């Protein structure tokens, strides 16, 4: 009986490289020698070849060309909309903060009011503005992408 | 500010040039990458979501996420393996969200659960060309654990090399073959239970 340089466990791992075409020539030779003398591994090898053949024959359903044609435009629009949202959010926060400051200018300028209160009111107003922008964005985005909104409750 | 410059995607002869152009703010350069990988991205998303519309939407969303993060990407590295991780995370989040929503609805017991997304969620005929053998394989693949299914999909459907798989999964290159062996072994066992052909 011919001698094999590898045992069955090593051969079975190398079989993967062989069927995937990733085995270096020397290891391929060693595996071939093993397969020539080991019927158990030869059988395993044939099963994996069959499996590989099966997966390589699985063909995805072809998408209509029109969907591929529009693909880049849709990605582009999403990117641009994201940038638009960032600019909108920053602009809205700045403008609303300015209006808030103007509305409360008397309070902020009043030396009788304690500083801690001024900081608290400032943080509260700014927080409300941020929350408003965040909720507004969420509402609009969820309305656009939520696939479950049509589910009857 | 992003400018939509009319530019042929053939201007970029390689991926690295396109990535560098994206990093310098040329959004049209990104088209080269999107056109190159859109089919792979869609098919990968399809394997997770099993639904065409969701796969299209999520693959596009992944390209958007990748574009926003492209400044942090090292152009010396493989774009698709990096992109794959973004896509995978999006798909997993989406599938988990869908699963949790389904659970809630099952608990409430008010809605018809099987087709609430409006699509045939697990129907392989919508994903693969009609073929009995493909259907058997798809059923067996879906019966595998996520890790096993993923490595088989990366190799046999995504066509990644062992080096790319190692990079994508963050595992040593030497263990790709053994991981594939055990995953395929389990797939064969599942197939044997379903059909005698394999």
């Amino acid at each position: 009986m011919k001698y094999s340089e590898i045992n069955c466990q090593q051969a079975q791992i190398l079989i993967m490289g062989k069927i995937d075409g990733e085995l270096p020539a020397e290891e391929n030779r060693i595996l071939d020698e093993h397969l020539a003398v080991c019927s158990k591994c030869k059988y395993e090898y044939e099963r994996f070849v069959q499996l590989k053949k099966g997966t390589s024959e699985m063909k995805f359903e072809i998408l209509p060309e029109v969907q591929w044609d529009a693909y880049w435009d849709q990605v582009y629009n999403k990117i641009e909309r994201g940038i638009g949202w960032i600019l909108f959010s920053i602009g809205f926060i700045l403008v609303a903060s300015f209006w808030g400051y103007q509305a409360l200018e008397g309070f902020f300028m009043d030396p009788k009011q304690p500083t801690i209160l001024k900081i608290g009111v400032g943080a509260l107003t700014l927080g409300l503005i941020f929350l408003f922008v965040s909720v507004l964005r969420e509402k609009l985005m969820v309305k656009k992408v939520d696939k479950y909104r049509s589910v009857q409750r | 500010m992003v400018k939509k410059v009319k530019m042929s995607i053939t201007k970029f002869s390689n991926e690295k040039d396109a990535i560098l152009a994206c990093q310098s703010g040329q959004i049209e350069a990104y088209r080269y990458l999107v056109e190159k990988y859109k089919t792979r991205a869609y098919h990968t998303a399809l394997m997770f979501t099993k639904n065409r519309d969701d796969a299209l939407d999520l693959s596009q969303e992944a390209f958007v996420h990748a574009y926003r993060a492209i400044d942090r990407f090292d152009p010396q590295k493989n774009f698709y393996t990096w992109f794959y991780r973004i896509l995978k995370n999006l798909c997993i989040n989406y599938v988990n969200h869908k699963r949790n929503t389904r659970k809630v609805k099952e608990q409430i017991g008010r809605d018809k659960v099987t087709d609430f997304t409006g699509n045939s969620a697990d129907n392989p005929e919508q994903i693969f060309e009609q073929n009995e053998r493909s259907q058997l394989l798809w059923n067996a693949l879906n019966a595998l654990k996520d890790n096993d299914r993923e490595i088989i999909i990366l190799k046999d459907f995504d066509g990644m090399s062992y080096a790319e798989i190692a990079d994508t999964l963050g595992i040593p290159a030497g263990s790709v073959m053994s991981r594939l062996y055990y995953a395929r072994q389990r797939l064969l066992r599942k197939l044997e239970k379903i059909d005698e052909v394999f």
Side-chain angles (χ1 to χ4, degrees), chain A residues 74-118:
Chain A
Q74 286 163 354
V75 171
Y76 178 84
N77 290 339
K78 285 181 182 189
I79 291 172
E80 206 172 46
R81 250 171 247 157
I83 293 164
W85 266 114
I86 292 168
L87 292 174
F88 171 81
S89 304
I90 293 170
F92 187 88
I93 288 165
L94 287 175
V95 171
S97 303
F98 178 72
W99 285 339
Y101 176 77
Q102 279 202 320
L104 297 168
E105 194 177 4
F107 168 75
F108 284 117
M109 290 301 171
D110 185 356
K112 289 178 196 160
Q113 299 295 342
T115 310
I116 188 80
L117 188 62
K118 289 179 186 173

Side-chain angles (χ1 to χ4, degrees), chain B:
Chain B
M1 184 70 192
V2 174
K3 280 186 258 175
K4 192 172 186 177
V5 185
K6 287 281 172 198
M7 187 191 298
S8 166
I9 56 166
T10 55
K11 183 186 170 188
F12 301 99
S13 55
N14 65 60
E15 201 170 293
K16 193 181 158 192
D17 288 347
I19 291 164
L20 289 170
C22 289
Q23 289 177 333
S24 66
Q26 294 178 54
I27 192 171
E28 194 65 20
Y30 196 52
R31 185 172 187 172
Y32 173 88
L33 297 169
V34 173
E35 296 292 345
K36 186 174 178 184
Y37 293 117
K38 66 183 181 186
T39 313
R40 267 174 98 176
Y42 165 71
H43 288 156
T44 301
L46 200 53
M47 301 299 267
F48 281 102
T49 63
K50 297 153 196 162
N51 177 291
R52 283 188 196 186
D53 293 339
D54 294 339
L56 263 178
D57 199 35
L58 286 166
S59 63
Q60 289 174 343
E61 205 59 49
F63 278 116
V64 174
H65 282 236
Y67 182 78
R68 286 184 192 147
I70 204 143
D71 285 343
R72 298 195 294 274
F73 176 69
D74 178 359
Q76 305 300 330
K77 294 192 173 168
N78 184 317
F79 175 81
Y80 190 77
T81 57
W82 174 73
F83 170 81
Y84 173 85
R85 287 192 287 268
I86 296 173
L87 178 62
K88 179 185 160 185
N89 287 338
L90 277 174
C91 290
I92 288 173
N93 287 344
Y94 174 74
V95 170
N96 287 343
H97 171 69
K98 199 165 135 177
R99 194 178 296 146
N100 291 340
T101 312
R102 192 191 314 226
K103 271 185 196 163
V104 170
K105 294 197 183 308
E106 278 173 346
Q107 281 164 3
I108 296 168
R110 286 184 195 163
D111 297 301
K112 189 180 176 185
V113 171
T114 49
D115 62 352
F116 75 105
T117 57
N119 286 289
S120 50
D122 295 316
N123 182 5
E125 289 168 9
Q126 213 189 11
I127 298 172
F128 292 103
E129 286 176 2
Q130 284 192 20
N131 171 325
E132 195 186 345
R133 199 175 156 98
S134 297
Q135 201 163 330
L136 286 172
L137 258 167
W138 179 240
N139 290 340
L141 266 172
N142 279 307
L144 289 177
K145 285 184 179 168
D146 291 347
N147 286 352
D148 287 343
R149 185 169 56 247
E150 184 179 26
I151 198 162
I152 292 173
I153 286 171
L154 289 177
K155 183 65 224 165
D156 291 345
F157 296 91
D158 229 354
M160 284 191 186
S161 67
Y162 284 180
E164 286 173 328
I165 293 174
D167 187 27
T168 304
L169 299 180
I171 58 174
S175 64
V176 173
M177 260 201 289
S178 58
R179 285 267 302 266
L180 259 172
Y181 169 73
Y182 292 113
R184 281 173 170 157
Q185 187 69 273
R186 283 188 273 268
L187 177 61
L188 277 172
R189 275 193 220 121
K190 298 275 182 202
L191 278 165
E192 281 163 358
K193 279 185 191 167
I194 301 171
D195 192 76
E196 289 174 359
V197 175
F198 288 91

Side-chain angles (χ1 to χ4, degrees), chain A residues 14-123:
Chain A
L14 291 182
I15 285 172
M16 295 302 106
K18 187 174 176 70
I19 64 169
D20 290 326
E22 295 228 16
L23 210 57
E26 179 58 13
E27 286 183 325
N28 201 39
R29 183 192 61 77
I30 293 169
L31 177 63
D32 282 345
E33 280 178 9
H34 182 88
L35 293 178
V37 296
C38 179
S39 57
K40 186 177 159 238
C41 289
K42 180 78 180 165
Y43 173 69
E44 279 275 283
Y45 169 70
E46 278 159 9
R47 284 170 78 225
F48 283 120
V49 168
Q50 274 290 106
L51 179 67
K52 180 83 181 175
K53 190 167 170 265
T55 52
S56 62
E57 281 171 359
M58 286 173 80
K59 299 276 178 252
F60 286 102
E61 276 278 321
I62 298 165
L63 263 189
E65 202 57 39
V66 65
Q67 285 188 285
W68 287 126
D69 291 344
Y71 195 93
W72 162 250
D73 286 338
Q74 286 163 354
V75 171
Y76 178 84
N77 290 339
K78 285 181 182 189
I79 291 172
E80 206 172 46
R81 250 171 247 157
I83 293 164
W85 266 114
I86 292 168
L87 292 174
F88 171 81
S89 304
I90 293 170
F92 187 88
I93 288 165
L94 287 175
V95 171
S97 303
F98 178 72
W99 285 339
Y101 176 77
Q102 279 202 320
L104 297 168
E105 194 177 4
F107 168 75
F108 284 117
M109 290 301 171
D110 185 356
K112 289 178 196 160
Q113 299 295 342
T115 310
I116 188 80
L117 188 62
K118 289 179 186 173
I119 294 169
V121 171

